[in-house]
Amino acid sequence: MARRGEENEVWQHLEVLAGISDDTLGLTRTFLSPAHARAKRQVALWMVAAGMQVFEDGSGNLIGRLSAPDPDAPVIACGSHIDTVRNAGRFDGALGIVLGVAAAAHLARLQLPMRAHLEVVAFSDEEGVRFGSTYLGSKTYVGTLRETDLAVLDDDGLSLRAAIDAHRTEFPSPPPRATLEGYVEVHIEQGPVLEHMGLAVGVATAIAGQTRARVIVDGRSGHAGTTPMDLRQDALAGAAACVVLVEHMARSLPGLVGTVGDLRVRDGAGNVIAGHVEFSVDIRHVENHVRDRFCRNLFAAIERELSARQLGCQVLFPMVQPAVQGSLRLTNLLARAVEQCQEGPCPRLISGAGHDVAAIAAGAETALLFVRCRAGLSHHPDEYAAPEDVAMALSVLIDFLEDLVLQ
């Protein structure tokens, strides 16, 4: 069970990380940016103070390790991502990191025999803001980063491989890991269910699968005043029709969500017909076969719409992430800790948002703890979790890790 001083320290750490940003007008920390580096240095100081050794791998993941006596002992890991979306809230990602550090500090103070190493990981990139492909850090951690992942480009045309090759780590490389036995992540719910139930925490049993696409529309630019409407090849008008198509088709299938969150016009001007437009598509559903079938139908419909307008169309898929089921064993163990700390039944939820735990599931058993957030708001400056709910999450995490890490 967490102590008052530990709870206060977690809140202070959240406040500090909220002030480390690349943008003076809001919280923004993108992969390998200056603020990204500053945030990792700060977390490293907290890890050292908690009694951990600090390491950094080639992709910029920061890893704090509380070591068991046996160097070949298995690893239990926890953490979350240190990058953010643009103009972010202060809890998404950061909460899981600072709670992991606090839990490690608590275990270190107990000075009890450990059967497993505990690693707290600040994953370098989960949001995918810079390269459009998520889970770059957690895929590296479990060894599933692929050549196709490394080939994606940022807005400056730099590949992920080139960015990683140019990155100079500030901490030693992590030691060999015998077995990654389990991983737990604490994250704000990013939805309203816990608040509606009047509960501070719950467990997520599954994470919806995601398909992220980038649609490139090619038309012909021209003068807005001299080109007749029936002779235009307006890439923006075609893209707009497709945006509405995504919304219309997604509304027709219960449980599925579809979003166009980014639309860019090359060389756009108020008096010029758009000749080249790109837009994103994000499709999510908890059943892989449902999402796959929907995507086939959706992108075929997009291609038909653009072809009818005599527009070129190219569809790229920077990320296709299957739905993930949490480990029954670890989820039940986490739910038991929730029941003990919350003194009542543990709600079991489905996550529509992606989390690093989805990538870690390819290499270890996983569990995911959700923390109530106000109005379900996330990816927004007003994102908020109450101090007492954060304290509850810390108590649950400590109880859970004591069962897994201590002898």
Side-chain angles (χ1 to χ4, degrees):
M1 183 68 69
R3 299 181 303 189
R4 174 61 61 186
E6 294 169 338
E7 298 166 2
N8 292 340
E9 189 172 72
V10 164
W11 198 259
Q12 292 164 8
H13 289 176
L14 287 168
E15 291 292 315
V16 170
L17 283 180
I20 302 176
S21 174
D22 289 308
D23 185 351
T24 58
L25 299 179
L27 175 56
T28 301
R29 276 196 306 269
T30 56
F31 180 54
L32 300 183
S33 70
H36 192 265
R38 294 198 305 273
K40 287 195 298 181
R41 291 187 204 110
Q42 180 61 70
V43 173
L45 292 175
W46 296 332
M47 288 175 167
V48 171
M52 290 184 279
Q53 295 172 283
V54 179
F55 307 97
E56 184 181 8
D57 66 20
S59 71
N61 290 324
L62 186 73
I63 303 165
R65 174 180 275 208
L66 193 63
S67 296
D70 180 2
D72 296 324
V75 171
I76 299 296
C78 64
S80 195
H81 57 96
I82 202 162
D83 68 312
T84 73
V85 296
R86 294 187 176 93
N87 199 26
R90 62 185 57 195
F91 296 88
D92 183 358
L95 179 63
I97 296 169
V98 299
L99 286 177
V101 172
H106 179 96
L107 294 180
R109 283 191 290 268
L110 294 178
Q111 295 185 324
L112 295 174
M114 294 174 58
R115 59 161 290 273
H117 305 297
L118 174 63
E119 290 189 349
V120 179
V121 190
F123 292 112
S124 58
D125 183 88
E126 187 262 2
E127 298 290 5
V129 171
R130 179 175 174 185
F131 287 96
S133 180
T134 62
Y135 309 137
L136 301 180
S138 43
K139 284 180 179 178
T140 299
Y141 186 70
V142 291
T144 59
L145 197 67
R146 304 166 299 173
E147 287 299 319
T148 50
D149 296 317
L150 293 167
V152 295
L153 305 177
D154 65 10
D155 289 343
D156 296 323
L158 187 72
S159 71
L160 175 59
R161 177 183 289 281
I164 290 176
D165 288 345
H167 174 61
R168 295 294 175 261
T169 59
E170 298 187 35
F171 303 94
S173 298
R177 189 171 59 225
T179 303
L180 181 59
E181 187 178 277
Y183 171 78
V184 60
E185 183 166 354
V186 183
H187 207 283
I188 56 170
E189 182 194 352
Q190 300 180 290
V193 177
L194 288 172
E195 185 177 59
H196 179 73
M197 298 176 73
L199 296 173
V201 293
V203 299
T205 60
I207 297 176
Q210 297 183 47
T211 297
R212 290 195 182 188
R214 188 132 203 106
V215 181
I216 302 170
V217 185
D218 283 305
R220 186 172 61 193
S221 60
H223 196 290
T226 62
T227 308
M229 295 300 292
D230 59 348
L231 297 180
R232 298 185 177 200
Q233 291 175 268
D234 189 332
L236 182 54
C242 293
V243 171
V244 174
L245 184 63
V246 171
E247 181 189 43
H248 174 73
M249 291 183 64
R251 284 180 179 273
S252 68
L253 188 59
L256 183 138
V257 290
T259 305
V260 175
D262 184 36
L263 188 149
R264 306 182 186 190
V265 181
R266 181 188 294 174
D267 301 326
N271 61 349
V272 177
I273 300 164
H276 182 93
V277 173
E278 298 184 19
F279 64 93
S280 65
V281 181
D282 183 315
I283 304 298
R284 308 189 191 200
H285 194 275
V286 74
E287 297 288 344
N288 291 323
H289 71 279
V290 173
R291 190 189 76 258
D292 290 343
R293 182 175 64 246
F294 177 85
C295 286
R296 287 195 298 271
N297 293 336
L298 172 66
F299 293 111
I302 285 174
E303 289 176 354
R304 288 194 299 271
E305 175 67 34
L306 296 176
S307 177
R309 294 170 175 268
Q310 297 183 311
L311 298 169
C313 173
Q314 182 181 7
V315 182
L316 307 176
F317 294 94
M319 191 193 86
V320 178
Q321 174 66 43
V324 172
Q325 300 291 324
S327 156
L328 182 60
R329 181 179 75 91
L330 292 191
T331 299
N332 285 341
L333 188 63
L334 186 62
R336 188 174 70 188
V338 169
E339 290 166 357
Q340 291 172 345
C341 294
Q342 201 159 241
E343 299 181 350
C346 174
R348 298 181 181 236
L349 313 176
I350 300 294
S351 176
H355 304 287
D356 286 300
V357 68
I360 300 298
E365 291 188 81
T366 61
L368 176 58
L369 180 70
F370 272 164
V371 182
R372 171 171 52 188
C373 60
R374 186 170 59 196
L377 188 65
S378 184
H379 287 185
H380 189 281
D382 293 336
E383 176 183 276
Y384 182 77
E388 56 270 24
D389 292 351
V390 172
M392 177 69 73
L394 178 58
S395 293
V396 171
L397 181 61
I398 287 173
D399 285 4
F400 176 81
L401 291 176
E402 285 180 351
D403 286 341
L404 285 179
V405 174
L406 301 181
Q407 288 184 351

